[in-house]
């Protein structure tokens, strides 16, 4: 999974949740880096912040979606911008879904499961982590 997030605390929280669920995570600190990493690696999904320096998540999503290889790559907004207009902007740019911050683990894993359909993720999400 590719996490695109510029805030250190948000990075820690998201990476901790994903790694606790045995999901391998690569980090990009802005949209420009995310575009490069998406081109160089094979990801099951991208968690994309909206507001970042260098290139924001909206523009990064548009660039990634412009490559036919990534038409079916789940790109999920993970942002503090939770207004309906923000969600619409994310979907219009080509994102598949929207998760608000602070991150609700149940919502995060439910959305990831919906878009990736991963059996392993389903098993991890349905059972208490660490048990």
């Amino acid at each position: 999974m590719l996490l695109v997030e510029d805030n250190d605390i948000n990075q820690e929280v998201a990476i901790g949740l994903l790694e606790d669920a045995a999901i391998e995570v690569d980090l990009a600190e802005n949209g420009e880096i995310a575009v490069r990493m998406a081109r160089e690696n094979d990801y099951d999904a991208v968690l994309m912040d909206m507001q970042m320096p260098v290139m924001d998540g909206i523009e990064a999503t548009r660039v990634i979606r412009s490559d036919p290889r990534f038409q079916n790559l789940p790109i999920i907004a993970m942002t503090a911008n939770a207004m309906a207009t923000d969600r619409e902007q994310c979907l219009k740019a080509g994102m598949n879904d929207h998760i608000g911050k602070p991150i609700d683990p149940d919502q995060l894993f439910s959305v990831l499961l919906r878009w990736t359909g991963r059996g392993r993720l389903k098993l991890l999400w349905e059972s208490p982590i660490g048990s």
Side-chain angles (χ1 to χ4, degrees), residues 11 15 18 23 26-28 32-33 44 50-51 55 66 74 79 111 115 127 129:
Q11 289 171 4
I15 289 170
L18 295 167
I23 297 171
D26 286 343
L27 174 66
E32 184 177 277
I33 295 169
D44 293 325
M50 278 181 72
Q51 296 180 336
M55 180 186 289
S66 71
T79 180
V111 168
W115 292 105
S127 64
I129 295 174

Side-chain angles (χ1 to χ4, degrees), residues 117-131:
R118 297 290 187 183
R120 180 177 64 103
L121 179 61
K122 182 176 186 200
L123 292 173
L124 289 166
W125 179 62
E126 290 177 343
S127 64
I129 295 174
S131 62

Side-chain angles (χ1 to χ4, degrees), residues 2-7 11 26-38 46-61 64:
L2 178 60
L3 172 65
V4 189
E5 174 63 63
D6 65 319
N7 180 282
Q11 289 171 4
D26 286 343
L27 174 66
E29 293 183 347
N30 63 57
E32 184 177 277
I33 295 169
V35 169
R36 179 178 45 80
M37 291 178 75
V46 177
L47 294 172
M48 181 79 74
D49 189 16
M50 278 181 72
Q51 296 180 336
M52 295 173 289
V54 183
M55 180 186 289
D56 67 26
I58 298 295
E59 183 60 24
T61 299
I64 291 169

Side-chain angles (χ1 to χ4, degrees), residues 23-129:
I23 297 171
E24 292 180 33
V25 183
D26 286 343
L27 174 66
E29 293 183 347
N30 63 57
E32 184 177 277
I33 295 169
V35 169
R36 179 178 45 80
M37 291 178 75
R39 290 176 177 155
E40 294 173 357
N41 299 283
D42 184 27
Y43 294 108
D44 293 325
V46 177
L47 294 172
M48 181 79 74
D49 189 16
M50 278 181 72
Q51 296 180 336
M52 295 173 289
V54 183
M55 180 186 289
D56 67 26
I58 298 295
E59 183 60 24
T61 299
R62 288 185 182 127
V63 172
I64 291 169
R65 287 285 187 234
S66 71
D67 186 327
R69 295 178 298 162
F70 303 119
Q71 292 305 305
N72 296 318
L73 175 66
I75 302 176
I76 300 155
M78 194 171 68
T79 180
N81 298 352
M83 300 200 43
T85 54
D86 297 317
R87 180 177 171 80
E88 289 170 22
Q89 186 179 15
C90 291
L91 297 175
K92 186 176 179 182
M95 294 183 194
N96 299 85
D97 215 325
H98 185 279
I99 298 171
K101 292 180 193 169
I103 300 167
D104 173 349
D106 285 336
Q107 181 190 23
L108 172 65
F109 292 116
S110 175
V111 168
L112 288 175
L113 179 60
R114 178 180 321 129
W115 292 105
T116 64
R118 297 290 187 183
R120 180 177 64 103
L121 179 61
K122 182 176 186 200
L123 292 173
L124 289 166
W125 179 62
E126 290 177 343
S127 64
I129 295 174

